[in-house]
Amino acid sequence: MTGEFERRHGFPPGSNEIRPADRDDQAAARALAQAALIPADLVAFYDSIGDVTWADAGNGYFLDPASDVLLYRT
């Protein structure tokens, strides 16, 4: 994907990353689950994945960390 990116788009690819969940992310996911604010599958996801930034994949994909979701939903 990144080999052709600059040629196609005229600028180099940015940083794309998946950050593993830390203890704070897992605690926030449990709080979301206890408050029934997110589906169980998303709780399982947040138990392993902290956040996702794929700025250069299509239009860009971003998943906020569970702690941010908790702030938005409460």
Side-chain angles (χ1 to χ4, degrees), residues 40-52:
D41 289 343
L42 192 52
V43 174
F45 175 86
Y46 275 131
D47 195 47
S48 298
I49 304 297
D51 60 74
V52 175

